Amino acid sequence: MTVLTERRADVAVLRLDNPPLNGLSLATRQALLRALEDAQADASVRAIVLTGGPRAFSSGADITEFGSPTAYQHPNLPTLIDALEHCTKPVVAALNAVAMGGGLELALGCHYRIAEPNCRLALPEVKLGLVPGAGGTQRLPRALGVEAALNLITSGEPITAAAAARVPDQALLDRVATSADTLLDEALALATEAAQQAQAGQPLPSLRNRKASHPRAEGYFAFARAMLKGQARHVSAPLRAIDLVEAATRLPLAAGLAQELQVFLDLMNTPESAALRHVFVAERAAGKIADVPASTPTRPVQHVAVVGAGTMGSGIAMACLNAGLRVSLLETQAPALERGMGNIRSTYEGQAAKGRLKPEALADRLGRLNGTLAYADIAQADVVIEAVFEDMGVKEQVFRQLDAVMKPGAILASNTSTLDLNAIAGFTRRPQDVVGLHFFSPAHVMKLLEVVRGEQTAPEVLATAMAFGKTLRKTCVVSGVCDGFIGNRMLDPYFRQAAFLLEEGCSPQQVDRAIEAFGFPMGPFRMSDMAGNDIGWAIRKRHYVEKPQVRHSRLPDRLCELGRFGQKTGAGWYDYRPGQRDGAISPVVNELIEQHRASLGLAPRKVSNEEIVQRLVLALVNEGARILEEGVAARAGDIDMVYLTGYGFPAWRGGPMHWAEQQGLYAVAQAMRRIASAPHGDADFWQPAPLIARLAAEGGRFHG
Ligand code: NAD
């Protein structure tokens, strides 16, 4: 059932019923049109109320239909809206909880609108690289006024019904209901009044008959364009939306609607919209684990213990405090504990000084934090997250102790970046309760959380870890156990390529600039300077022993031997002046690179920016494909989410795996083979991963 009809005296109530959020799928549209026609034909019906359920009026188009012929199949959204506008009986939209995108456009076709006060109204299409396609850009300016409508359309952000009702001269909402509970009764009262007015011969109101105007239209639209230009560099939807709102002030509705549809269809075919729609779907899919159904029970988490109060431990503690949880922070030495607690306090005080945290919230957060040197104090925590030194010996000590003291059923998590989680679980007598929670720095800011599933991690523990990550408002992606998990494992060949490019003729700034122009906020050398070049050095030293067959440039080691660890030492791939984060070109590094090339007998060649981007991004793709093939990641979309939320891959390119598909996997495989045959090509790495080779031959795709 997708639409339920019930009678309340002489009013027909049409209730959208397509869980969870009343997406306007073809079946729902068909059912709504039928219900509307039935109510229209029934002589005993004098008015119609169109409503949804407690979770939503409607969240809009069914995104799984996007780009497929079903999306346009009749009755499509414009047809339905037309039917509502031309209904001869008054139609009242009663908006519950959420009216977004096509859901709001549907309501704009009704004669009257009433909403519960907290109902969120939005046209979020720009977030998918689109504009509203069913009249939103034409009717909303007529309903809400040009400026308020343009703000909603170009930001994609929601406004509450209560706030919308305060916009001067608005005709978006005829009434705001007292509460969600009284919405239907108040909508029925409005419908009855409307029926009486209609019977008395008053014409039915329609947004068609309202004008959208602005007293200083030309200047205002020029200003709006100037404001959005920077942001619209890679995604054209916001600027196209301005054109359409301007058209609403100039053109009759029908002409404006035709223009809107054309722009919508144009944008639907842009790569950036395809990428943003992919991200939308991938984000929702990332939380799903094939063999851990949504019905898997989870354990309650209210009290979290964090072991180690360094960079990560402090950040993780803040992420938990920000989510309302109680936190115990454990260290072995008082000075280290005091340092960690002090960092947390000063971060919050800094936020409070900037007005970003209210004094009572500051007190509340610090009130939920306690520091300790005794394991006995954390024994009752529901989850304990270890964030001590990246050293197996230290991890062993900590996990043996945790095993001894933690209450039964407590989840034992490690924030290790590179160590074998199965070995860590082996230090306990409860490996089923051990999971990896790989946060990114700064842990209270970064969206990504890799949830690492050990061989013996219990489904219930995994489900709890995912729910816990959601409580922290993280994007959770499940990774199997491997060196570096999904994100850092892919970063390894990316950095190796970056270093080879220096050997072959590039400067660090050329490499950084090329990949930044592609859309990364920071190139590999600036990033490494920020994170600390010594971290990569330590990992490489281990790799030299464990994986002697993997080719590395020794140039980054030479840099570290000079003590150039990056921003923290004032010198890395760039030179840093005190207090400045932007590095300057370093003559020392240029000299070092030249000497290094000479020692290898390499004459520098001119490398194009295109080659730089290709080699860096394809390095991610090739390793990503291996990760997918091995089952370390369950879906290509999960890999994309890791790169989008943890590594700054530009959203409008959809993530490395989506980007590769947009290039075509055949072209990707060919490019890899070409690079493999180049003189400095690292031929072993550049053999296309078997998955890529197979899909390229079959014309297949990563995303099923
Ligand atoms: P850090 O050196 O800043 O902090 C480690 C802290 O652990 C120190 O305060 C130390 O006193 C404490 N410690 C050491 N042994 C302990 C013990 N036995 N009991 C209690 N506390 C102890 O290191 P970090 O950068 O916060 O990294 C911690 C962990 O997080 C490592 O496993 C690291 O690989 C991982 N990690 C780091 C990052 C990052 O960007 N720094 C990102 C993701 C994961």
Side-chain angles (χ1 to χ4, degrees), residues 221-282:
F221 285 114
F223 166 76
R225 285 191 178 94
M227 291 295 288
L228 283 178
K229 239 192 185 122
Q231 160 194 339
R233 214 149 41 100
H234 304 294
V235 182
S236 52
L239 284 179
R240 305 292 300 269
I242 297 179
D243 296 345
L244 291 169
V245 173
E246 189 172 25
T249 65
R250 293 196 178 144
L251 301 177
L253 185 71
L257 290 176
Q259 201 161 318
E260 181 195 74
L261 185 61
Q262 193 51 54
V263 173
F264 176 82
L265 294 174
D266 284 354
L267 290 174
M268 191 60 112
N269 288 323
T270 57
E272 73 256 17
S273 173
L276 293 169
R277 281 179 279 135
H278 160 70
V279 176
F280 182 89
V281 174

Side-chain angles (χ1 to χ4, degrees), residues 307-313 330-332 336 339 375 386-390 394-395 397-398 415-418 438-441 535:
V307 182
T311 312
M312 293 309 288
L330 181 136
E331 272 277 350
T332 43
R339 204 167 39 244
Y375 272 86
E386 164 278 308
V388 302
F389 301 135
E390 187 75 341
V394 184
K395 305 271 190 211
Q397 225 180 22
V398 170
N415 183 47
T416 180
S417 310
T418 54
H438 187 220
F439 288 83
F440 289 72
S441 183
I535 295 182

